[in-house]
Structure formats: C-alpha cells, structure tokens
Amino acid sequence: MIRILYIEDNALNREMLQRRLSEHDFVVNVAESGESGLERARSAPPDVILMDMGLPGLSGYDLTRRFRADKTLKSIPIIALTAHSMAGDRQKALDAGCDDYDTKPVDFDRIARKIRQQLTPSEDVVADIVATAAEGNRAAGRILVIDDDRHSRNLLRHGLELEDFEVDTASDGRDAIIRVNEQKYDLALLDLMMPEMNGFEVLEIIRASHSLTAFPVIMVTAMDTNEDVVHALRLGANDYVTKPVNYQILLARIQTLLRVSRLEDQLRQEKEFNENLIDCTDEMIISVDPNRRITGFNRAAARTFGYTRDEVIGHDVSMLYADSASGLTVHNKTLHDHGYSGEIVNADKNGRQFTCRLSVSLLYDKAGNPAGLVGISRDVTEEKRLETERKKVEALKHKLVMMATHDLKNPLVCIAGHSYFLKSKLDKLVAKDDDTWDSAESISNLTRVMQRLVEDFLDFQAVEDGRVILNRNVVDLNAIVLEMIAQNRHYAREKKVTLVAQTDAEPARVSADPDRIRQVIRNLLDNALKFSSPETTVTITARNDNGNVLLHVCDEGPGLSEDDLVGAFEPFTILDNQPTGDETSTGLGLAICRQFIDLHDGKIGVRNNNKQGATFWFSLPGSENQPE
C-alpha cells in the first residue's frame, strides 16, 4: 500500500481528500500545519507528500525547502496543491523543490495518477496522457447549472441529461462557489441575474482560482445588452447565450468549449510530461533564441549554475560562460556547421569556473528556418581531475616497474654468469648427486625463472606503451615450428612428455616479425608442457587455411575451467590448474601472446578438447611471397 502524508490547514479539504484517496487504496495520514507535517514525516516517513502551498505560518514553499534539507526526508516526492492556477505558481513550486503540481478543486483520479507517477514515472505519465486523450474524444462531461429560478434549472438539467451530460445544480452564488471548490466540473452555465450574489460576482470569484481553459463558463442571461456581454467576457466568461435558451445553439457551444478545454488539458499534460523528462535528466539542457537569449533552463542547469530559471530566462547566454567570446564562438560555429561539440569553460553564479562537455544543435521552425539553439552539457571538471590523477598514477607505476625490472636485469645476468662458472668448476670436483651440485643447479634454475619474469614484464610494458615496432619479413611458419620443437626438446624430455610436430608439405607463409612469433610459440609450448603429466603428448600443428595460416598447440593435460577459458589471455591471470613440475608463472605469458598476435592483425584463442586437455591456437593472414 502506498503511504500518503496530506498537509492541509482546511479541515473539510483534509477529510474529503483523505476519504477519496482511501478509495484508491492509498493509506492517508494528515497534518493540519507545516510544523505538524514535518514532525509526522519524521516519525513515519511516507512514500509521497501532498502539500497545500498556502499554509499559514510555515508556508508550503518553506516547508518543502525544509524537507529537501533533511537527509532522511529529502528524497520523498512532494506534490504541491494550490487554490490558484497562476502562470508562475507551478514554477515557483518546482523551484522550491516540489516534484509535481496540481490545482484545487482536486480531480481525484488525476491526483491518484500523479501520485503513482512519482513511484513509476515512465508508465504512469504515459498512461495519464493516453487517458486524457481518450477523455477528450467523448462528447459528454460534467456540468454545473447555476440559476436561482428552479424552473430554468430543471429545464436545463433535463435537456443536458438527454445529451448524456452529468449535471449538478446550484440555486445561488454561494452554493455554486462551494460546489466549484469541492468538486471537479468540466463547465458551468451561470445565470447573470441572481439575488445576493449576481453572476458577475460569482464569475469573478471562480476566475480567481480557475483559468478560462481549465473551467469554461457560459453566461445565461435574459439581458442582451452589449455592456453586460462585454463586462462578462472581460471578467472571464468564455461565451454567453440568451434566454429563452436555444438548445441546439447551447449544445454546440458547450461541445466546442469542452473540446477546446480537453485539447488544452491534453497539451498541458504533454507539456508537463516533456518538462518533467527534461527536468529529470542529470544533463544540463539550455535553449536560446536566435539572439542568444536564454529560453530554456532545466533543473540540472539550475543546480550546477546556482541560478533559478527566473534569473536567467530572457538574458544573454554569455552570462553562463567564463569568457563571453567563447560563447559567441560556439553560437557562430553552430549556425555555420549546423551543430557543435566540444569542451567549454562555464562560470556559475558565484564566479566558479568549471569545464563542461557541450553538444549544441539547431532548432528549426515549421518553415525550416533556424529558430534557436539547444545545448546539452555535463560538468566534467571532476572527471578530468580524476583522469589527470589516473595518468599520474599510471606514469608512477610504469616508472616503478621499469626501474625495478631494469635494476633486476643486470644483477641477474651476473648471477647467471657466476652460476654457470660455479657449475663448470663443480662438474670436475663433485658428483651430480652431491648436495653442493644440487645447490648450484637450483641457483641456475631460479636465475632463469627470474630472468624470464623480468623479460615478460619488459615485453608486456613495451607493447602497452606502444614502443614495439614489428620487423616484418615473409617467413615459413613450418620452419619456426620445427625450430621451437628442437629448443623445447630438453624440457619435454625432463618432464617425460613427447613433442610432436605436424606440418603441411606446402610452406605456411606469413608476413610477420619472426622473433615475436617465436616468442608466441615458445610461450604456448611452455604453457602446454607446464601442465602436462608424464607419458603424455603435446602436438603442435601448422597448416594453411583459406588464405590464413593456422597454428594449434594441443596438450593432454587437465583442460581449463570455465573462468580460465574466458580470462586466459588477461594480464596477470594465474590458471586454476597446478603445474605438474612445480613451475612458476608470471601470469603474463599468454597476455603477451595476445598482444603480439593482435599487432600482426591475427586472432588467438583456446578451447578444451573433447576427451582430454586443451588446445591453444592462433591464425595469421597468409602471404603469397617467398620467404626472405
């Protein structure tokens, strides 16, 4: 159930709205003043607040600002209600922080739709417009007949009910005012000559809270003097008929006014819908006329610049730029190029300057002539600051990595040289199963691991920084495969794994950097051997395939998990499976393979085999030229 808090100082209005909204399955709590409304909202926060803006003491506008300043209540939708329908009332309520606006007397079905709109806007706003449009197509409506003569009232009522109108009657002006304020009517027929309060006085009171299009009034009079007609029209009458009434003329005028009123209401609903769409976006939307005067300024723009709409509408748009000349440049470029997109520097009401990303389009009238400009912009000051900080961190990280890897590289070369010298001496002094020999062998193996780690870091970072330049030649991939098999034969023999090469009789020619392709194949072979158990086979295949050259490295290991299949080529990925010989991994070998294949405009991937193991593959565009 949707919980409503209705803040209204008029007891009759509170009771009536509470009863009618309860019929729409709302739970309605009421408060008679701004102070009690604030207290009840804090003790039991509602889903939506309905608020009379003309509250005594703490007004609805001031109360709305208090709600918006309260951390626990600021997000609750507020619908403003007022007995007036002046042009600036809606904007004043929205500027105070209200989410929607409606006038008294309340149309209960419409206010129910507006409440639901605040909770599900996209569906209910559209439903509201569709319902309004459907309502505009019906011929009948609800009419109030105001006449002190019972016979005239009954004749009009009977005739209109035959035309499917719903008709209420009032016998005097005071009764009419009460009914108009408490209920919703589509139109009124108002007798001019009544005792105590005449038709002119009633009309003047009605027009204080109801516009001509929202509530049409037809004067019905036995007096047909020009002075009376002019006076009635000036007070806000929509039309007039004379007694005795010609029903055909009366009916035609009623139907015309109702159609106009419903079309106006539909246009108002559509306008509010469009304004709400513009106001609900986080992007700033500002429109100007051909003379650069501001004509539109949405809520996001008001928040960012610190101006209200009233403070900017009609003023030159240069007031929003840090440099007025740049504003003129944007305007002229938009007119010349039929649009503009770029970054500009704005200034808010307090002079704070900030950078915005701006896109401007031309608006055209029906004749196709430029009628103004509309700009959509977003403050990117914080975004640019974060991007600058990110680049600083990336540069620092790059510097640290390069320093660390280069500082490690030279000592490792020395350690590798000393370990080789030590092993050559020990080879003549101790047996291969001696602990001293094992220590020297461990030093040599660990040094190679560290050198491989440093090389991977340097290669990966070089590609990331765009410092790798390919030295392309036409090469035979079959020859490189056989070369890599020979280089890895010792490693495979140590792990008791069989290496098999399967190549086409025809050369598999590609235009590639042979050193980088050797590194890719070496990494793929190294990865396959790393996860292979003894007495298994690793097969490497190269063949021509429809203008491409395709290479497979197939092992009989445990295969890859679903997550590893997706992220195998991502940097620093450590596969779930454990190497069978306790080998270490940098997590960069496969990522480097993808980088180098991408540089060659090729493709790379992995899949699990049907029975056992996995197959890593890559393809490169073939070449018709001879190897160099």
Side-chain angles (χ1 to χ4, degrees):
M1 301 280 286
I2 297 174
R3 297 164 300 169
I4 308 296
L5 174 61
Y6 179 33
I7 308 173
E8 167 66 73
D9 62 306
N10 186 290
L12 182 61
N13 288 344
R14 285 200 308 272
E15 180 182 351
M16 182 178 298
L17 191 62
Q18 183 179 28
R19 176 168 50 82
R20 292 299 299 272
L21 287 179
S22 297
E23 295 173 1
H24 286 270
D25 295 328
F26 295 119
V27 177
V28 184
N29 191 13
V30 296
E32 66 279 359
S33 67
E35 290 80 0
S36 62
L38 189 60
E39 181 179 341
R40 291 187 183 181
R42 285 171 174 165
S43 61
D47 297 309
V48 177
I49 296 172
L50 297 180
M51 186 191 307
D52 177 30
M53 303 312 285
L55 294 170
L58 184 62
S59 74
Y61 303 104
D62 292 332
L63 181 56
T64 299
R65 295 185 184 96
R66 290 226 191 152
F67 277 125
R68 293 300 178 235
D70 191 302
K71 291 183 179 179
T72 60
L73 304 176
K74 65 180 182 179
S75 61
I76 299 175
I78 299 175
I79 300 176
L81 297 176
T82 176
H84 303 287
S85 185
M86 306 302 290
D89 286 347
R90 178 181 182 277
Q91 194 56 58
K92 186 178 178 182
L94 294 178
D95 287 341
C98 293
D99 297 276
D100 206 344
Y101 167 89
D102 209 336
T103 57
K104 300 177 184 178
V106 173
D107 182 322
F108 299 106
D109 291 331
R110 186 175 68 202
I111 200 67
R113 288 197 299 270
K114 288 196 173 189
I115 290 170
R116 291 191 175 93
Q117 170 189 331
Q118 293 303 320
L119 304 176
T120 54
S122 59
E123 295 178 4
D124 285 321
V125 171
V126 174
D128 194 33
I129 292 176
V130 171
T132 303
E135 184 180 313
N137 290 326
R138 60 185 176 89
R142 194 173 184 209
I143 296 178
L144 177 63
V145 176
I146 309 166
D147 198 315
D148 64 310
D149 183 78
R150 183 170 60 86
H151 179 68
S152 296
R153 288 199 310 272
N154 290 338
L155 280 176
L156 286 172
R157 177 173 192 160
H158 178 70
L160 293 172
E161 286 178 343
L162 290 176
E163 299 295 334
D164 293 329
F165 288 102
E166 181 184 348
V167 183
D168 284 349
T169 61
S171 58
D172 57 50
R174 297 188 186 280
D175 184 25
I177 296 301
I178 292 173
R179 289 179 178 273
V180 168
N181 286 333
E182 291 182 353
Q183 301 183 53
K184 177 71 172 70
Y185 294 100
D186 298 308
L187 182 141
L189 299 177
L190 176 58
D191 182 32
L192 183 58
M193 301 303 296
M194 293 186 296
E196 295 187 14
M197 184 182 291
N198 64 36
F200 293 131
E201 294 172 305
V202 174
L203 179 60
E204 196 167 9
I205 294 173
I206 289 174
R207 283 293 170 252
S209 57
H210 297 76
S211 68
L212 278 81
T213 54
F215 185 37
V217 176
I218 299 177
M219 304 301 294
V220 182
T221 176
M223 303 171 61
D224 192 16
T225 63
N226 291 338
E227 291 81 5
D228 290 331
V229 172
V230 170
H231 186 48
L233 293 174
R234 284 177 175 170
L235 287 176
N238 298 76
D239 207 340
Y240 79 98
V241 293
T242 57
K243 296 181 180 180
V245 173
N246 182 313
Y247 281 98
Q248 288 184 336
I249 293 176
L250 177 62
L251 184 62
R253 293 184 175 183
I254 289 173
Q255 289 173 335
T256 297
L257 286 173
L258 289 180
R259 278 195 296 270
V260 171
S261 177
R262 287 166 183 156
L263 286 172
E264 287 280 351
D265 192 48
Q266 180 182 346
L267 289 173
R268 180 184 60 79
Q269 294 281 350
E270 291 175 347
K271 181 182 178 183
E272 287 183 4
F273 175 62
N274 291 331
E275 288 175 348
N276 286 335
L277 282 179
I278 293 173
D279 272 339
C280 73
T281 180
D282 291 331
E283 308 288 333
M284 292 178 281
I285 302 177
I286 301 171
S287 60
V288 300
D289 64 17
N291 296 316
R292 304 181 67 236
R293 290 188 296 265
I294 299 173
T295 57
F297 197 72
N298 77 335
R299 197 176 298 178
R303 284 197 303 267
T304 304
F305 283 96
Y307 293 105
T308 66
R309 285 182 174 91
D310 291 341
E311 289 177 313
V312 298
I313 296 298
H315 291 271
D316 195 290
V317 72
S318 60
M319 68 183 293
L320 305 179
Y321 286 89
D323 175 17
S324 59
S326 64
L328 183 60
T329 299
V330 169
H331 186 87
N332 292 336
K333 278 184 172 291
T334 303
L335 293 176
H336 182 268
D337 300 334
H338 303 282
Y340 173 86
S341 181
E343 290 188 355
I344 48 95
V345 180
N346 289 117
D348 68 10
K349 187 176 182 179
N350 296 321
R352 178 184 68 91
Q353 296 187 5
F354 54 97
T355 303
C356 282
R357 189 166 293 125
L358 173 66
S359 177
V360 187
S361 300
L362 278 173
L363 299 174
Y364 298 92
D365 58 22
K366 290 182 179 180
N369 300 315
L373 289 75
V374 60
I376 301 176
S377 64
R378 179 166 56 90
D379 185 352
V380 294
T381 305
E382 182 65 11
E383 182 181 318
K384 291 176 74 67
R385 187 189 69 78
L386 292 175
E387 179 62 17
T388 301
E389 291 298 319
R390 186 191 67 79
K391 288 181 178 179
K392 288 181 180 179
V393 171
E394 285 292 326
L396 180 60
K397 182 193 77 172
H398 172 68
K399 185 177 180 180
L400 289 174
V401 169
M402 297 303 292
M403 287 174 58
T405 51
H406 279 96
D407 287 349
L408 284 172
K409 192 172 183 179
N410 291 333
L412 285 173
V413 171
C414 293
I415 294 171
H418 286 303
S419 67
Y420 176 79
F421 175 77
L422 183 63
K423 284 176 65 179
S424 65
K425 293 294 184 181
L426 289 174
D427 188 36
K428 301 175 182 178
L429 299 174
V430 300
K432 289 294 195 310
D433 57 354
D434 188 85
D435 289 344
T436 305
W437 177 263
D438 288 342
S439 296
E441 184 71 15
S442 295
I443 292 172
S444 179
N445 291 337
L446 290 173
T447 301
R448 284 197 300 270
V449 170
M450 288 298 295
Q451 284 178 315
R452 181 69 179 275
L453 176 65
V454 170
E455 288 172 2
D456 282 351
F457 267 119
L458 291 174
D459 287 340
F460 179 78
Q461 199 62 49
V463 177
E464 287 288 292
D465 295 343
R467 291 184 287 107
V468 172
I469 299 175
L470 298 180
N471 297 313
R472 287 180 180 264
N473 292 303
V474 176
V475 295
D476 183 1
L477 205 59
N478 289 336
I480 296 179
V481 166
L482 296 176
E483 180 185 336
M484 291 297 102
I485 288 284
Q487 289 185 10
N488 284 273
R489 189 82 68 187
H490 178 71
Y491 179 29
R493 192 177 296 117
E494 285 182 341
K495 299 202 68 172
K496 299 180 181 180
V497 175
T498 302
L499 274 181
V500 176
Q502 295 179 351
T503 58
D504 281 349
E506 295 293 326
R509 298 191 187 101
V510 294
S511 175
D513 185 326
D515 291 335
R516 299 306 182 185
I517 296 302
R518 287 187 183 94
Q519 190 171 350
V520 171
I521 298 174
R522 182 170 60 247
N523 284 354
L524 295 180
L525 274 174
D526 182 70
N527 186 76
L529 291 168
K530 188 187 303 181
F531 295 101
S532 292
S533 301
E535 311 305 329
T536 59
T537 300
V538 172
T539 304
I540 180 168
T541 303
R543 60 184 174 85
N544 293 290
D545 182 59
N546 295 324
N548 295 316
V549 173
L550 188 61
L551 183 137
H552 292 85
V553 177
C554 177
D555 63 54
E556 296 176 353
L560 277 69
S561 67
E562 291 296 325
D563 288 341
D564 284 346
L565 285 171
V566 174
F569 296 98
E570 294 300 319
F572 306 105
T573 294
I574 304 298
L575 301 180
D576 292 340
N577 296 320
Q578 293 299 314
T580 55
D582 295 327
E583 294 94 334
T584 59
S585 174
T586 65
L588 289 173
L590 294 176
I592 292 170
C593 289
R594 183 175 66 178
Q595 287 179 325
F596 286 157
I597 295 301
D598 287 346
L599 287 175
H600 284 83
D601 300 319
K603 296 179 181 179
I604 191 168
V606 60
R607 64 175 181 271
N608 281 328
N609 302 328
N610 291 332
K611 293 183 179 180
Q612 187 178 2
T615 296
F616 284 81
W617 62 269
F618 68 81
S619 67
L620 296 174
S623 174
E624 296 295 330
N625 297 326
Q626 295 294 323
E628 297 180 6

